[in-house]
Amino acid sequence: MIVMYSTSGEKLLTVATRLFYSEGIGAIGVDRVVAESGVSKPTLYAQFGTKAGLVAAVLQRRSDTRKREITEYLNNVPADTDSRVLALFDRFIAGHAKPGFRGCPFTNAAAELPDPEHPARVVIADYKTWIRQKLIELAAQDGLESPTECGSFFSLLIDGANVRVITTGEITGIVDAKQAASELINLRRITPGDKS
């Protein structure tokens, strides 16, 4: 469930989300966030406690929204789709192609926040675990042998494509990741008559 803040809190969250993603968490101070949002610094601290709290709230909102969107997307994938795993890869491919895309916000944040005690790290880990679990479920629905292992492999492919965006700026790595996923699916799909 998405937590809603006061009008001022929502303004801060909207501005912080844009700035943290486009310019980086470390590059943006609370002074910039309050200046662009038109909300006072005391209000920011009253709503989020600290900059770390604001970062965690930004990522939590992204996580809640992304989980809802992915769930809705998968619910609308036709039942006769050959691979639900590859359908999810198609969604990520479309996301990577959007103007202004500069990588997964959770991967980017993790690279900037090495402290395991940072409150945002819990949000990042939760989202990444959720994606991996979703891929495990989809691998099972696709009839793949060892779906837990396959889901983990698919998750690594997506993370690798996102890291490529950060390290080289290349946004087409997700297409390569889908191709690798497709080859794995061909190897792991259980056909009638196979031993399970």
Coordinates of all heavy atoms in Angstrom, one line a residue, residues 135-168:
L135 N 10.2 -13.5 -10.5 CA 10.8 -14.3 -11.6 C 10.7 -15.8 -11.3 O 10.6 -16.6 -12.2 CB 12.2 -13.8 -11.8 CG 12.3 -12.4 -12.5 CD1 13.6 -11.8 -12.3 CD2 11.9 -12.5 -14.0
I136 N 10.9 -16.2 -10.1 CA 10.8 -17.6 -9.7 C 9.4 -18.1 -10.0 O 9.2 -19.1 -10.6 CB 11.1 -17.8 -8.2 CG1 12.6 -17.6 -8.0 CG2 10.7 -19.2 -7.7 CD1 13.0 -17.5 -6.5
E137 N 8.4 -17.3 -9.6 CA 7.0 -17.6 -9.9 C 6.7 -17.8 -11.4 O 6.0 -18.7 -11.8 CB 6.0 -16.6 -9.3 CG 6.0 -16.6 -7.8 CD 5.3 -15.3 -7.2 OE1 4.6 -14.7 -8.0 OE2 5.4 -15.1 -6.0
L138 N 7.2 -16.8 -12.1 CA 7.0 -16.8 -13.6 C 7.7 -18.0 -14.2 O 7.2 -18.6 -15.2 CB 7.5 -15.5 -14.2 CG 6.8 -14.3 -13.8 CD1 7.4 -13.0 -14.4 CD2 5.3 -14.3 -14.1
A139 N 8.9 -18.4 -13.7 CA 9.7 -19.5 -14.2 C 8.8 -20.8 -14.0 O 8.8 -21.7 -14.8 CB 11.0 -19.6 -13.5
A140 N 8.2 -20.9 -12.8 CA 7.3 -22.0 -12.5 C 6.1 -22.1 -13.5 O 5.8 -23.1 -14.0 CB 6.9 -22.0 -11.1
Q141 N 5.5 -20.9 -13.7 CA 4.4 -20.8 -14.6 C 4.8 -21.2 -16.1 O 4.0 -21.7 -16.8 CB 3.8 -19.4 -14.6 CG 3.1 -19.1 -13.3 CD 2.7 -17.6 -13.1 OE1 2.6 -16.9 -14.1 NE2 2.5 -17.2 -11.9
D142 N 6.0 -20.8 -16.4 CA 6.5 -21.2 -17.7 C 6.9 -22.7 -17.9 O 7.3 -23.1 -19.0 CB 7.8 -20.3 -18.1 CG 7.4 -19.0 -18.6 OD1 6.2 -18.6 -18.7 OD2 8.4 -18.2 -18.9
G143 N 6.8 -23.4 -16.8 CA 7.1 -24.8 -16.8 C 8.6 -25.1 -16.9 O 9.0 -26.1 -17.6
L144 N 9.4 -24.3 -16.2 CA 10.9 -24.5 -16.3 C 11.3 -25.5 -15.2 O 10.9 -25.4 -14.0 CB 11.6 -23.2 -16.2 CG 11.2 -22.1 -17.2 CD1 12.1 -20.9 -17.1 CD2 11.2 -22.7 -18.6
E145 N 12.3 -26.3 -15.5 CA 13.0 -27.1 -14.5 C 13.8 -26.2 -13.5 O 14.4 -25.2 -13.9 CB 14.0 -28.0 -15.2 CG 14.7 -29.0 -14.3 CD 15.8 -29.8 -15.1 OE1 15.7 -29.8 -16.4 OE2 16.7 -30.3 -14.5
S146 N 13.7 -26.5 -12.3 CA 14.4 -25.8 -11.2 C 14.0 -24.3 -11.3 O 14.9 -23.4 -11.5 CB 15.9 -25.9 -11.3 OG 16.3 -27.3 -11.3
P147 N 12.8 -23.9 -11.1 CA 12.4 -22.5 -11.2 C 13.0 -21.6 -10.2 O 13.3 -20.4 -10.6 CB 10.8 -22.6 -11.0 CG 10.6 -23.9 -10.3 CD 11.6 -24.8 -10.8
T148 N 13.4 -22.1 -9.1 CA 14.1 -21.2 -8.1 C 15.4 -20.8 -8.7 O 15.8 -19.6 -8.6 CB 14.2 -21.9 -6.7 OG1 12.9 -22.2 -6.2 CG2 15.0 -21.0 -5.8
E149 N 16.1 -21.7 -9.2 CA 17.4 -21.4 -9.8 C 17.3 -20.5 -11.0 O 18.0 -19.6 -11.2 CB 18.1 -22.7 -10.1 CG 19.5 -22.6 -10.7 CD 20.2 -23.9 -10.9 OE1 19.7 -24.6 -11.9 OE2 21.2 -24.2 -10.3
C150 N 16.3 -20.8 -11.8 CA 16.1 -20.0 -13.0 C 15.7 -18.6 -12.7 O 16.2 -17.7 -13.3 CB 15.0 -20.7 -13.9 SG 15.5 -22.2 -14.7
G151 N 14.8 -18.4 -11.7 CA 14.5 -17.1 -11.3 C 15.6 -16.3 -10.8 O 15.7 -15.1 -11.1
S152 N 16.5 -16.9 -10.1 CA 17.7 -16.3 -9.6 C 18.6 -15.8 -10.8 O 19.1 -14.7 -10.9 CB 18.5 -17.2 -8.7 OG 19.7 -16.5 -8.2
F153 N 18.7 -16.7 -11.8 CA 19.5 -16.4 -13.0 C 18.9 -15.2 -13.8 O 19.6 -14.3 -14.2 CB 19.6 -17.6 -14.0 CG 20.4 -18.8 -13.5 CD1 20.2 -20.0 -14.0 CD2 21.3 -18.6 -12.4 CE1 21.0 -21.1 -13.5 CE2 22.1 -19.7 -12.0 CZ 21.9 -20.9 -12.5
F154 N 17.6 -15.2 -13.9 CA 16.9 -14.1 -14.6 C 17.1 -12.8 -13.9 O 17.3 -11.8 -14.5 CB 15.4 -14.4 -14.7 CG 15.1 -15.6 -15.6 CD1 14.0 -16.5 -15.2 CD2 15.7 -15.9 -16.7 CE1 13.7 -17.6 -15.9 CE2 15.4 -17.0 -17.5 CZ 14.4 -17.9 -17.1
S155 N 17.1 -12.9 -12.6 CA 17.3 -11.7 -11.8 C 18.7 -11.1 -12.0 O 18.9 -9.9 -12.1 CB 17.1 -12.0 -10.3 OG 17.3 -10.9 -9.4
L156 N 19.7 -12.0 -12.0 CA 21.0 -11.6 -12.3 C 21.2 -11.0 -13.7 O 21.9 -10.0 -13.8 CB 22.0 -12.8 -12.2 CG 22.3 -13.3 -10.7 CD1 23.0 -14.6 -10.8 CD2 23.1 -12.2 -10.0
L157 N 20.5 -11.5 -14.7 CA 20.5 -10.9 -16.0 C 20.0 -9.5 -16.0 O 20.6 -8.6 -16.6 CB 19.7 -11.8 -17.0 CG 20.3 -13.1 -17.3 CD1 19.3 -14.0 -18.1 CD2 21.6 -12.9 -18.2
I158 N 18.9 -9.3 -15.3 CA 18.3 -7.9 -15.2 C 19.2 -7.0 -14.5 O 19.5 -5.9 -14.9 CB 16.9 -8.0 -14.6 CG1 15.9 -8.7 -15.5 CG2 16.4 -6.6 -14.2 CD1 14.6 -9.1 -14.8
D159 N 19.8 -7.5 -13.3 CA 20.7 -6.6 -12.6 C 21.9 -6.3 -13.4 O 22.4 -5.2 -13.4 CB 21.1 -7.3 -11.3 CG 20.1 -7.2 -10.2 OD1 19.2 -6.4 -10.3 OD2 20.1 -8.1 -9.3
G160 N 22.4 -7.3 -14.2 CA 23.6 -7.0 -15.0 C 23.3 -6.0 -16.1 O 24.2 -5.1 -16.4
A161 N 22.2 -6.0 -16.7 CA 21.8 -5.0 -17.7 C 21.7 -3.6 -17.1 O 22.1 -2.7 -17.7 CB 20.5 -5.4 -18.3
N162 N 21.2 -3.6 -15.8 CA 21.1 -2.3 -15.2 C 22.5 -1.7 -14.8 O 22.8 -0.5 -14.8 CB 20.2 -2.4 -13.9 CG 18.8 -2.4 -14.3 OD1 18.3 -1.5 -15.1 ND2 18.0 -3.3 -13.8
V163 N 23.4 -2.6 -14.4 CA 24.8 -2.2 -14.1 C 25.5 -1.7 -15.3 O 26.2 -0.7 -15.3 CB 25.6 -3.3 -13.4 CG1 27.0 -3.0 -13.3 CG2 25.0 -3.6 -12.0
R164 N 25.2 -2.3 -16.5 CA 25.8 -1.9 -17.7 C 25.4 -0.4 -18.0 O 26.2 0.4 -18.5 CB 25.4 -2.8 -18.9 CG 26.2 -2.5 -20.1 CD 25.8 -3.4 -21.3 NE 26.4 -4.7 -21.1 CZ 26.2 -5.7 -22.0 NH1 25.5 -5.5 -23.1 NH2 26.7 -6.9 -21.8
V165 N 24.1 -0.1 -17.7 CA 23.7 1.3 -17.9 C 24.5 2.3 -17.1 O 25.0 3.3 -17.5 CB 22.2 1.5 -17.5 CG1 21.8 2.9 -17.6 CG2 21.3 0.6 -18.4
I166 N 24.8 1.9 -15.8 CA 25.6 2.7 -14.9 C 27.0 2.9 -15.4 O 27.6 3.9 -15.4 CB 25.6 2.2 -13.5 CG1 24.1 2.2 -12.9 CG2 26.5 3.0 -12.6 CD1 24.0 1.4 -11.6
T167 N 27.6 1.7 -15.8 CA 29.0 1.7 -16.1 C 29.4 2.2 -17.4 O 30.5 2.8 -17.6 CB 29.6 0.3 -15.9 OG1 28.9 -0.6 -16.7 CG2 29.5 -0.1 -14.4
T168 N 28.5 2.0 -18.4 CA 28.9 2.3 -19.8 C 27.9 3.3 -20.5 O 28.1 3.8 -21.6 CB 29.0 1.1 -20.7 OG1 27.7 0.5 -20.9 CG2 30.0 0.1 -20.1

